[in-house]
Amino acid sequence: MRVALVATVLALAVGCGSSVGAADIAAGRQKAELCVGCHGEGGISQMDNIPSLAAQLDQFIQWQLVFFRAGTRKNEQMQPIVEQLNNDDIRNLGAYYASLPPAKPRADDDPDLSKKGAQAAVGRRCASCHTDTYAGTKAVARVAGQREDYLLKALRDYKTGVRAGGAMAAMADVAFPLSEEEIEALAHYLAHFNG
Ligand code: HEC
Ligand code: HEC
């Protein structure tokens, strides 16, 4: 069921079988005027619990916008936004944000916590999907340098089932056994990840 739905919505978003052309970054930049108030200038969020989008993966962004639009990912702030987006907008926005440079890594104010996070990431094999640099690939999100408060929220949302996630619900299975202590260490580590 879930796989079928996901396949359908992705086909919609990426325009499989349609005559739509390549993504238009300039059009994406223009459409992103709708987003800047929350996701920040240059896609770098300055607001709690709102993710940065700069350098996020094109495919991941497109999937998430489709999930919001389909209602399989729910968020009160994103809901009225996605209602205004057609498939071309989604494709252009994905290309635009993916083209932006990522946020500069912040100075680590708690290296001991990062060390615990690094150990947890090895133990839980986070890099096996997110890649060794945590820059992600395809529909697997970039998590390196993401806001710590948002990473905390995302991991808690997967753990409690508020967010199911795509790609065969990989993250729900990953997050379920994580302790709150591990979640805090992982979020801190990834937010300050610096190569
Ligand atoms: C009113 C504030 C607001 C506006 C405007 C807004 N967003 Fe969001 N967006 C959010 C919040 C809050 C979240 C986090 C949702 C959650 O916690 O699950 C989010 C999440 C996302 C995500 C998921 C990112 C991730 O790392 O999981 C994408 C992609 C996204 N927004 C794209 C956009 C785009 C593109 C626009 C403009 C067309 C936009 N947003 C406008 C508040 C906003
Ligand atoms: C089996 C592959 C896999 C493994 C292992 C994995 N992830 Fe993920 N992760 C994904 C996928 C796929 C997504 C996108 C899911 C979605 O659509 O919500 C994701 C999303 C995330 C997000 C949300 C990012 C965002 O911007 O919304 C965070 C945070 C995250 N993973 C952290 C981790 C951590 C920490 C670990 C190790 C404890 C881990 N992941 C292990 C596949 C994986």
Side-chain angles (χ1 to χ4, degrees), residues 31-56 60-61 64-65 68 73 75-79 81-82 85 93 96-97 100-103 106 145-147 149-150 163:
K31 199 76 196 178
E33 282 168 20
L34 276 175
C35 326
V36 67
C38 291
H39 290 283
E41 292 292 342
I44 298 178
S45 165
Q46 309 292 340
M47 286 163 83
D48 284 355
N49 293 325
I50 299 189
S52 289
L53 299 177
Q56 187 51 275
F60 173 77
I61 292 173
Q64 299 308 311
L65 291 173
F68 284 123
R73 181 172 176 186
N75 181 265
E76 278 178 13
Q77 287 172 286
M78 279 302 292
Q79 196 57 45
I81 300 292
V82 289
L85 304 179
L93 284 161
Y96 166 62
Y97 279 114
L100 297 174
R106 277 150 286 216
Q146 183 54 275
R147 292 183 62 88
D149 46 72
Y150 174 75
R163 184 170 164 191

Side-chain angles (χ1 to χ4, degrees), residues 124 158-159 170-180 182-183:
R124 301 292 182 176
Y158 287 123
K159 183 178 164 76
M171 275 312 292
D173 290 343
V174 168
F176 186 71
L178 297 178
S179 67
E180 176 61 19
E182 277 178 296
I183 286 179

